[in-house]
Amino acid sequence: MNLTKTLRKTGYNLIEGPLRNHILLQLWLEKPSNEVELYYSNIEHAFLNDKQLNEVITPTLDINATIKDEYQFNIGMSLIDDIIKSLGLGTFELSSEIVSGKKVTISYDHAIIKEIPTGEIQKYLSNADFRHPNNALLKNANTNNLLVVSGVILAKNLIVEIETDFSLDIYLILKLNKSVDRKLDFSIVNTKKLKMVSTGKIFFPIAVKAERIIFDKGHFISTNLLKDNKKLF
């Protein structure tokens, strides 16, 4: 089963870069260049409402190691290097150790999904005011440039399998395990397949769902699910 397609059917997109500071209710600003930047760390820093927004942990989306994305070798290795950086191993590049191969498979395990129901966000905004007079915020609201993070998928384990075009040996595995400060575990599946599993004890963001906030002349109208969340990654 394809991981990217499975997530997109439910409004989520994988985070592909090393930046993984996505949390619920962040406000992101879409710029004229179609790039985005973090605008407010929480919607409550921009909008004032007595209503409390509560997150829910939903079991409806089961992300496990059987749902995988398969990549050509160089594309996959580029993605892995970025993910490894997000795990606090910025100086370690696996692509410098495994320089050739056939394909790379990436999956995640022990995932949880944290969400704020869309209806709750809409109800909050329909009765909210700006926390203080803010011309820039009003302009961005009226031009529909505000995005709010409504869901985050977090995983405890990254699982990577790399099919090489050379025979692996125990000395390479020992070298790799020594280089990663016990944050990753490398093992040999067969003579030409390497397995890497993250061994951290904390969950890290792997996918995000976001809503575009729609205003008209200072009045909140609705939110629309952002179907292509790639701008956030």
Side-chain angles (χ1 to χ4, degrees), residues 167-181:
S167 295
L168 299 164
D169 61 63
I170 189 64
Y171 300 104
L172 174 61
I173 303 304
L174 291 172
K175 179 183 177 182
L176 291 173
N177 281 321
K178 187 177 180 180
S179 301
V180 293
D181 193 29

Side-chain angles (χ1 to χ4, degrees), residues 2 6 11-12 38 46 54 62 100 133 189 201 211 216 220:
N2 182 277
T6 298
Y12 282 92
L38 185 60
N54 297 309
D62 184 21
S100 62
V189 178
K201 297 182 179 180
E211 308 269 345
D216 183 31
F220 170 72

Side-chain angles (χ1 to χ4, degrees), residues 53-67:
L53 285 166
N54 297 309
E55 68 179 47
V56 296
I57 297 178
T58 173
T60 56
L61 184 59
D62 184 21
I63 301 301
N64 57 63
T66 65
I67 307 174

Side-chain angles (χ1 to χ4, degrees), residues 132-188:
H132 54 76
N134 190 325
N135 291 335
L137 179 59
L138 178 60
K139 179 180 178 180
N140 287 313
N142 282 331
T143 51
N144 303 331
N145 290 330
L146 301 181
L147 312 174
V148 58
V149 174
S150 58
V152 181
I153 299 178
L154 305 105
K156 198 168 186 180
N157 294 122
L158 161 72
I159 302 169
V160 174
E161 291 186 350
I162 303 169
E163 186 176 329
T164 68
D165 55 9
F166 60 89
S167 295
L168 299 164
D169 61 63
I170 189 64
Y171 300 104
L172 174 61
I173 303 304
L174 291 172
K175 179 183 177 182
L176 291 173
N177 281 321
K178 187 177 180 180
S179 301
V180 293
D181 193 29
R182 291 182 289 186
K183 292 182 178 180
L184 301 171
D185 179 69
F186 292 92
S187 59
I188 297 176

Side-chain angles (χ1 to χ4, degrees), residues 20-226:
R20 291 172 187 265
N21 63 347
H22 302 77
I23 59 175
L24 287 176
L25 296 177
Q26 284 176 333
L27 278 184
W28 289 71
L29 176 65
E30 185 175 23
K31 303 167 74 174
S33 60
N34 286 329
E35 296 180 350
V36 296
E37 63 181 18
L38 185 60
Y39 198 35
Y40 286 90
S41 60
N42 190 287
I43 195 172
E44 294 179 346
H45 297 166
F47 293 91
L48 179 64
N49 191 332
D50 292 335
K51 177 179 172 57
Q52 189 75 26
L53 285 166
N54 297 309
E55 68 179 47
V56 296
I57 297 178
T58 173
T60 56
L61 184 59
D62 184 21
I63 301 301
N64 57 63
T66 65
I67 307 174
K68 304 178 179 181
D69 272 343
E70 186 176 291
Y71 302 92
Q72 295 297 320
F73 178 78
N74 287 321
I75 294 173
M77 294 303 291
S78 299
L79 290 171
I80 291 169
D81 280 342
D82 271 348
I83 296 171
I84 287 175
K85 289 177 184 177
S86 75
L87 298 174
L89 291 165
T91 60
F92 176 76
E93 290 190 349
L94 186 58
S95 59
S96 65
E97 302 291 344
I98 309 295
V99 297
S100 62
K102 297 181 178 180
K103 65 180 181 180
V104 174
T105 304
I106 300 176
S107 61
Y108 296 92
D109 209 355
H110 297 95
I112 58 174
I113 299 94
K114 294 185 177 183
E115 295 183 331
I116 305 291
T118 298
E120 293 294 313
I121 294 175
Q122 291 177 346
K123 186 176 180 181
Y124 177 91
L125 288 168
S126 66
N127 295 295
D129 190 9
F130 290 171
R131 186 160 287 277
H132 54 76
N134 190 325
N135 291 335
L137 179 59
L138 178 60
K139 179 180 178 180
N140 287 313
N142 282 331
T143 51
N144 303 331
N145 290 330
L146 301 181
L147 312 174
V148 58
V149 174
S150 58
V152 181
I153 299 178
L154 305 105
K156 198 168 186 180
N157 294 122
L158 161 72
I159 302 169
V160 174
E161 291 186 350
I162 303 169
E163 186 176 329
T164 68
D165 55 9
F166 60 89
S167 295
L168 299 164
D169 61 63
I170 189 64
Y171 300 104
L172 174 61
I173 303 304
L174 291 172
K175 179 183 177 182
L176 291 173
N177 281 321
K178 187 177 180 180
S179 301
V180 293
D181 193 29
R182 291 182 289 186
K183 292 182 178 180
L184 301 171
D185 179 69
F186 292 92
S187 59
I188 297 176
V189 178
N190 58 49
T191 56
K192 292 188 176 181
K193 183 178 284 188
L194 174 71
K195 185 174 184 178
M196 180 187 84
V197 180
S198 64
T199 58
K201 297 182 179 180
I202 61 171
F203 287 85
F204 58 96
I206 64 168
V208 177
K209 179 166 66 173
E211 308 269 345
R212 184 182 298 281
I213 299 173
I214 309 299
F215 264 73
D216 183 31
K217 296 180 174 61
H219 297 280
F220 170 72
I221 303 301
S222 187
T223 64
N224 290 337
L225 179 66
L226 190 66

